[in-house]
Every structure is written in structure tokens, then in C-alpha cells.
Amino acid sequence: MLAFFIVSMAYPRIYSDYNGPYQPDFMLLEYRGTHKDLDKLGLTLKDGMMVTVYDEFCEVEDLEADGIVRYGIIPGTKTKCWYADTRGSEIRYVKRREAN
């Protein structure tokens, strides 16, 4: 008998602004907080990498969604930059973490 298990992947968690111009489908990765998190994690953005983007929602909760990092023109715009494509990812409310 075969058993199948779903393993939850923990992707690097980096900041994005959920009030940004292209949210919730395209989360910009050009913010100071994004670069601060990348430095802290020792990461460099790479096209195709999976990430979890978060924003501080209130004193006790953050918003999170998983996405694929892309560099290029955001679909439907003329903006070329780093962004996370979060289409199809559910936005989650999670307990605020003390430090990322």
C-alpha cells in the first residue's frame, strides 16, 4: 500500500507592501524592507525562486502569501522590476513573528 504525504515547504519570508500598486497578484520586491530581509537571510533574488511575501497587518498579525519571484515587466503594466507573482496564492493572516 502506498502512502502519500504532503510536506509543507518553508520558503524564504521577505517583506512586500500589501498596499502596493499591483497587489494582491503581483507583489513588488523593491522595498527597503525587502532588501533588509534578503540581507538578513543572505539571499539574492533569482527568477523562479519561491518566496513567502509578508506585510505587517496589525500589532499581532501579518499578512502572507507564497509567490514565484520574477524580474521583468509586470503583466498588464509597463513597470519592469523584481516582483513576486502571487496569483492563485491565498493570503493568510498569521501570528506576528518577533524577528524575521
Side-chain angles (χ1 to χ4, degrees):
M1 175 179 201
L2 293 174
F4 294 93
F5 298 94
I6 297 174
V7 178
S8 176
M9 293 283 301
Y11 302 122
R13 188 172 186 263
I14 57 176
Y15 174 82
S16 186
D17 186 353
Y18 275 75
N19 293 307
Y22 309 112
Q23 57 79 29
D25 293 331
F26 306 107
M27 304 298 296
L28 297 181
L29 301 176
E30 301 283 342
Y31 298 103
R32 185 179 314 168
T34 306
H35 294 286
K36 181 179 170 186
D37 286 342
L38 290 169
D39 288 345
K40 199 183 304 184
L41 295 168
L43 293 175
T44 301
L45 292 176
K46 293 182 178 83
D47 198 87
M49 77 187 285
M50 293 295 298
V51 296
T52 297
V53 289
Y54 77 94
D55 193 3
E56 299 170 345
F57 178 68
C58 67
E59 290 183 14
V60 295
E61 288 184 312
D62 289 342
L63 297 173
E64 281 187 348
D66 298 324
I68 302 169
V69 172
R70 298 286 181 221
Y71 181 78
I73 297 174
I74 296 174
T77 75
K78 294 180 181 182
T79 304
K80 185 175 184 178
C81 63
W82 285 104
Y83 65 94
D85 184 339
T86 55
R87 291 180 289 186
S89 179
E90 187 173 310
I91 296 174
R92 305 177 292 275
Y93 291 87
V94 297
K95 185 177 178 182
R96 164 79 45 92
R97 296 183 185 183
E98 290 300 318
N100 191 18

